[in-house]
Amino acid sequence: MLKIAKLFILSILFISCSNNKDSVDVTDSGNHPNLILTSQAVSEIKSQLGAIPIFDETLALAKEEVDAAIEKGIDVPMPKDMAGGYTHTQHKLNYANMQKAGVLFQLLEDEKYAIFVRDMLLEYAKIFPTFDTHPEPRSYATGKFFWQCLNDSNWLVYTSQAYDCIYDWLPKDQTEYLNKNLFRPYADFLSVKNPKYFNRVHNHSTWGNVAVGMIGLVMDDEELINRSLYGLDKGDVDLNEKDNDGGFIYDKEGKAGFLANVDSPFSPDGFYTEGPYYQRYAMYPFLIFAEALENKKPDLKIFEYKDGVLIKAVDALLNLTDADGEFFPLNDGQKGMSYYTSSLVSAVDIAYYYGSQDARLLSVAKNQGTVQLDATGLKVAQDLNANKEQPFVKESMMLSDGSKGDEGGIGILRYNNQEETLALVYKYAAQGLSHGHYDKLSFSLYENGDEVLQDYGLSRFVNVEQKNGGGYLKENKTYAKHTIAHNTVVQNGVSHYKYDFETGSKNHPEQFIFDASDKSFQIVSAKEKNAYPGSEMHRTLIMIKDDAIEKPFIVDIFNLQANAKNQYDLPFHYFGQIIATSFEYSVPKSLSTLGDKYGYNHIWKEGNGTANAESIQFTWLDNRRFYTLTSATDKKDEIILARVGANDPKFNLRKDPSVIIRKNNTQNTTFASIIESHGTYNPVKEVAANAYSNFSKIEVISSDEDYTAIKIVFKNGREKNLILANKDSNQTTAHNFKLEDKNVNWKGVYYYK
Amino acid sequence: MLKIAKLFILSILFISCSNNKDSVDVTDSGNHPNLILTSQAVSEIKSQLGAIPIFDETLALAKEEVDAAIEKGIDVPMPKDMAGGYTHTQHKLNYANMQKAGVLFQLLEDEKYAIFVRDMLLEYAKIFPTFDTHPEPRSYATGKFFWQCLNDSNWLVYTSQAYDCIYDWLPKDQTEYLNKNLFRPYADFLSVKNPKYFNRVHNHSTWGNVAVGMIGLVMDDEELINRSLYGLDKGDVDLNEKDNDGGFIYDKEGKAGFLANVDSPFSPDGFYTEGPYYQRYAMYPFLIFAEALENKKPDLKIFEYKDGVLIKAVDALLNLTDADGEFFPLNDGQKGMSYYTSSLVSAVDIAYYYGSQDARLLSVAKNQGTVQLDATGLKVAQDLNANKEQPFVKESMMLSDGSKGDEGGIGILRYNNQEETLALVYKYAAQGLSHGHYDKLSFSLYENGDEVLQDYGLSRFVNVEQKNGGGYLKENKTYAKHTIAHNTVVQNGVSHYKYDFETGSKNHPEQFIFDASDKSFQIVSAKEKNAYPGSEMHRTLIMIKDDAIEKPFIVDIFNLQANAKNQYDLPFHYFGQIIATSFEYSVPKSLSTLGDKYGYNHIWKEGNGTANAESIQFTWLDNRRFYTLTSATDKKDEIILARVGANDPKFNLRKDPSVIIRKNNTQNTTFASIIESHGTYNPVKEVAANAYSNFSKIEVISSDEDYTAIKIVFKNGREKNLILANKDSNQTTAHNFKLEDKNVNWKGVYYYK
């Protein structure tokens, strides 16, 4: 009854606002649009047009873009190019324009937009049956209009929305024609004809599931909807089968489909195991389909699924950004991608609307400056207009990994002092499916929006056609994924898990402690026992704010307990210019590589020396700031000055530097380091302020599997002792330790005084 | 009579505004201040306090700084450190604070500022006689409180102003004491005791001249004033004598002193032969002393000297900046230095006041956000307050070099389209004294505020103590000054003039033409005949705005006519990542240097190949923009991919890349290239727009000493012919040329159709 009443009111409203002579009655018949835009939302939005600036601006921009496309004429080329090439780009433009045109048709009631969508769809329907697949066979799942099914799924996710918007406007014979000749076969192509693509737990497959589900919802095709939600019948599959990008095809438990893709890669905290870059990419299909399901299948209660993980995931993802809103490039991640991307506009709006109307999300939306053109975007725009936003202050936080939250995670320690911010990102997460890197217990450090100690990210120029068609570059596998490309220990020159994906996928670090409750002493610690059989790695990172020092410094304790003597390399991937080193080193007359495999083959050895002291210092200048690494050493430790770029015949790699501390022929040992941002250089005033470290040294007093005792000596002679309990992470356990003839007692994991 | 009347009015005004109970009557006696601040200016300023925001803000900031210094107490340490070290920095702070305190005393009438200056001067006077020179003997002219006389001169230039402000407030016995025990001996130290420093034509010596002149004016010491203006008696000097930084000590004509330093290094256009970085540094003493002379010796008409060159110099210097106001790093120049530096605040204010009140200067002052605390700054602040500013649009311009303007110059071609700007800086200037680089006919290219093709600049971290005490690094001489560090031709691997300073100083290129009158075809061309005896180099750079292409492209024609076969290297020092090359190349397994001298010893050869075509393309991505170099080649030309960094034991050099086109065993030849900014990469949208060049090739149809004919082929097949007349630069001369069987007639240097 309620529905009928609503529809009646809506049709009245629609007729009343049809004052454009090109306009038509759209939804008398009742059903469509009902996917993302709904008849009710259309009505509400139309009543608000002209009143909510951010919504109006977004709409005006969409209109401008689509009007230009209509002006240019319909162009549906035969598929030919890889990413970045002409046909690829044109098909991308087409689905983006169709989606917007559908919205414009609904909101502005101008038939030209419906005609544009219809005519384009008829072109697609015409050529769809004329060829088998895209001519470039470079993907593990070659697509139709694109070189990979993934992009075809993008097409279908967007185009489904356009189709929904004109569905009722089209004559029935045309929808039947399109359903039969384009959409149903396209959905089948992406699923039954590509089961390895469709039945996977992977961001690609999420797009595939959602594409099939969205068009299923539009066509009311329950078979497609079910296929989308639960996957194809798997029959007798080999769960260990791997695809040509190196990942497992099937989920460990053999599940598939959209719900499996929500279940498995998301931790209960909303962390997506592939990493933020792919989470960002997947958020659109996850949330747009969730919105569609909420509209058409509300009984599914998709936003409550897995304790509301889809909404949590948006919050998690926003927290996985630096001060500029750029995602931490954990695993395969292209730097520069940020929450300004359109998928995050949708995600933020949908999470606001279907979540708890978290006012912090509004400030992100305000930065984004644009909204989704539906009920969720309207609500965000209205609440922004009412100044309801709260700052989105990114606090220190732990995000578990693993579908049950028990496979390690990410620990983020933050310092926020107005515009001055530091963020330490500690990665002790699981493998991350096929996009995972072999970097257990690695970390990266950010100051404001700048990388201080970097994670290399991926080796790829997404959509730059000249670079392997915009796809992954060989160096992603030969360098970027390797352990040495990250700020963590490499044993005997071999990457973690021997760079074996299966081994990596079976294991993960364990969190030891995360405690950010004391802002002057934030600690995160984790252990990894399987990266190198026989060796136990335990890394603790602490962000300490000392009253006498302007900014916090980082203490990094990397404890190794092994059953044999090994070589341990701990690299720090800095940027910029070396200013001073406390150690002597020499530079070679010609450069050779640091090794011949596991990524070492891509690194030039630019210099090396011997520590020859119990503590070394390394100061560099980057972004007009001075940084110093102070590190406890054995006198015989080797220090290597390195740079990426060897064996890079296409110049695909960035020539970034690192300093590597190498311990040779060592069994149990502890790397203890301080990393600090301590000064600035002003090239206009030519003033170097605080160009020297605040510390004179750091010492490992003792370290074993039970306790690690460290001494920190400040430049002015002041000393601090830090003792870590390595076995018991209980913060209430009492400890007693003999520190240089003095008995020290404390409770919990650490003593610092 | 007028003067006496003025003084009377002033004293009335002063008394009337003395309403602070700590205040004292300052200038009843009449003489001081009269150097920079004058009694009249003080009076005018006081009447305006609180009314002119930018002036009040500058004053408040000065007060804050000096109050903090007073709070901290007086600290006049015995000299010990090099630049960047404690005693160096403290003495710098002291003179800056004294200068401000003097102004504050005058404007705020609070005696504590006078006391601060007095007490500090007494400290200086106490220790001045107790030691001979600074303990660090690293300068060719070791100073007193600083390691070099230069910094001591800075001290005296600033402190003279402070002294002037409290002169009449001090008891006569104290001024006599200070004059005798500190200032006169200090002035003598900087001049008669350091004749090689004082009697030179060089920015250092300008500071020395001005230091002596300023204190001379304060003490009314005519001997010092004359010494300052005309130099020391030179006696029987060897004009070819060189100092240990490699420059000549004496001016070619044997002149010395302040006026010689205006005469000789400034061209009639106001270009300063050492380059913008040093011009920026010297502008303060030049203009502050000019202001003082105008106040105390108006008959000298210093601002009209050499046809008003000091005012012109400010305009020239502002034009030698990129879109961000950063100076082009021609010769020795540290990147990042900009017109925001305090010496330019003074320069802009003084030029505005004593020049023609050029309203464009006001917009620079507005960006600077601060003014000089005197009559000139007040005037600027008042006129800004009255919204009189006009935009400072930097247009294409030619700046001659040489004291008579006949020693080559700098040609700047610009494109301004709102925020989108290009600037090509062509250097065909003279040697530039001891700070000159060996880069005849080199150029650099800027897009917006970013370097596209760079001039390396200097090798130095100014005031970073860890880097050679903040002084020049060895690599400045072994790399940065060499020809290969610049975008110009190196013959047979030897730098221009065989890297011989005397030869370089005797020669300079000759401008052939500069014509920026046609905004769609701006051309600058110059010849150099002496860099390599027997070889004549003629380079023409053209900025062409074609209607069909969004931004202008650069055509670079480098014509070589030689009497023997040579090797010619033409490097392009780009930044960023190689995206594509049209030529095949290989990369070595280990890196070796490109050569063993003339800077080649600092370059790693990262790859090389053979052009194997008549035209090559090289595309790179930097700052999210795509650039392509299209260059005509002989098939056998070698292409080298290079990177700085070899033989750099202290990591002093930046590891910047270049692509080098090498012609072996070639006599006469012409390098013809197109450089274009053609596309953008957006990492948030992951869209590569216009990632491909607009050109398919460039060809040299024919080239000899008379004519060079070029064909440019656009990607769409369109062709343009460019013919340059190489001998006659007259724009009215008629030419006839047989171009591929077709007779072509035109007038002037170029034909382009």
Side-chain angles (χ1 to χ4, degrees), chain B residues 385-436:
Chain B
N385 214 33
N387 296 312
K388 290 188 182 172
E389 78 267 19
Q390 294 291 325
F392 196 103
V393 178
K394 288 169 238 173
E395 303 289 357
S396 300
M397 66 161 54
M398 194 281 288
L399 293 165
S400 64
D401 195 5
S403 68
K404 297 189 183 64
D406 56 0
E407 299 179 25
I410 304 286
I412 310 173
L413 303 183
R414 299 211 188 236
Y415 165 74
N416 297 314
N417 181 15
Q418 294 174 331
E419 297 302 295
E420 275 296 325
T421 64
L422 287 172
L424 180 152
V425 187
Y426 184 23
K427 181 171 181 252
Y428 47 95
Q431 184 62 32
L433 308 183
S434 65
H435 288 297

Side-chain angles (χ1 to χ4, degrees), chain A residues 195 199 230-239 241 250 253-256:
Chain A
N199 253 16
Y230 307 108
L232 294 164
D233 183 20
K234 282 165 294 292
D236 207 12
V237 299
D238 171 8
L239 291 184
E241 197 174 349
Y250 301 108
E253 295 161 35
K255 292 193 298 181

Side-chain angles (χ1 to χ4, degrees), chain A residues 277 334 462-463 465-467 577-578 585 589-591 606 643 647 649 651 653 655 681 686 691-692, chain B residues 277 334 462-463 465-467 577-578 585 589-591 606 643 647 649 653 655 681 686 691-692:
Chain A
Y277 179 74
Q334 178 161 286
V462 180
N463 290 332
E465 195 186 26
Q466 296 104 314
K467 286 289 195 189
Q577 210 74 22
I578 297 175
Y585 61 88
K589 281 284 161 195
S590 67
L591 293 193
E606 291 192 324
R643 189 172 302 272
N647 290 303
F651 283 67
L653 293 168
K655 314 296 188 188
Y681 186 71
E686 295 189 332
Y692 291 89
Chain B
Y277 179 75
Q334 179 162 284
V462 180
N463 290 332
E465 194 185 27
Q466 296 105 314
K467 286 287 195 191
Q577 210 74 23
I578 298 175
Y585 61 88
K589 282 284 162 196
S590 68
L591 292 193
E606 291 193 323
R643 188 173 302 271
N647 290 302
L653 294 168
K655 315 296 188 189
Y681 186 71
E686 295 189 332
Y692 291 90

Side-chain angles (χ1 to χ4, degrees), chain A residues 39-97:
Chain A
S39 307
Q40 186 189 354
V42 167
S43 158
E44 282 172 14
I45 291 168
K46 289 205 285 194
S47 76
Q48 297 290 320
L49 290 183
I52 314 290
I54 194 172
F55 195 96
D56 292 335
E57 285 155 24
T58 308
L59 187 66
L61 195 63
K63 183 174 184 312
E64 197 179 296
E65 288 169 7
V66 176
D67 286 352
I70 290 173
E71 180 73 21
K72 223 173 154 188
I74 284 170
D75 179 9
V76 178
M78 278 301 284
K80 176 172 148 292
D81 302 325
M82 293 285 292
Y86 165 66
T87 70
H88 181 98
T89 305
Q90 184 59 38
H91 288 298
K92 279 181 73 172
L93 266 176
N94 283 349
Y95 68 65
N97 283 327

Side-chain angles (χ1 to χ4, degrees), chain A residues 7 10-12 14-15 25-32 168:
Chain A
L7 284 174
L10 279 170
S11 45
I12 299 287
F14 262 41
I15 290 160
D25 288 350
V26 179
T27 53
D28 264 11
S29 68
N31 279 320
H32 296 271
D168 287 357

Side-chain angles (χ1 to χ4, degrees), chain A residues 130-151:
Chain A
T130 66
F131 64 97
D132 191 27
T133 54
H134 189 281
E136 278 287 353
R138 278 211 251 177
S139 169
Y140 71 98
T142 299
K144 286 282 293 190
F145 293 100
F146 300 90
W147 69 282
Q148 54 176 352
C149 282
L150 172 63
N151 298 105

Side-chain angles (χ1 to χ4, degrees), chain B residues 267-291:
Chain B
S267 80
D269 294 333
F271 178 74
Y272 188 72
T273 193
E274 295 188 60
Y277 179 75
Y278 280 96
Q279 179 165 357
R280 168 274 327 176
Y281 185 57
M283 281 326 278
Y284 185 75
F286 276 119
L287 288 171
I288 204 76
F289 191 43
E291 183 174 2

Side-chain angles (χ1 to χ4, degrees), chain B residues 502-522:
Chain B
E502 285 187 48
T503 313
S505 300
K506 280 184 200 138
N507 295 291
H508 55 80
E510 298 283 355
Q511 179 176 294
F512 184 66
I513 188 173
F514 177 90
D515 187 350
S517 57
D518 178 355
K519 288 286 164 213
S520 68
F521 194 97
Q522 303 184 70

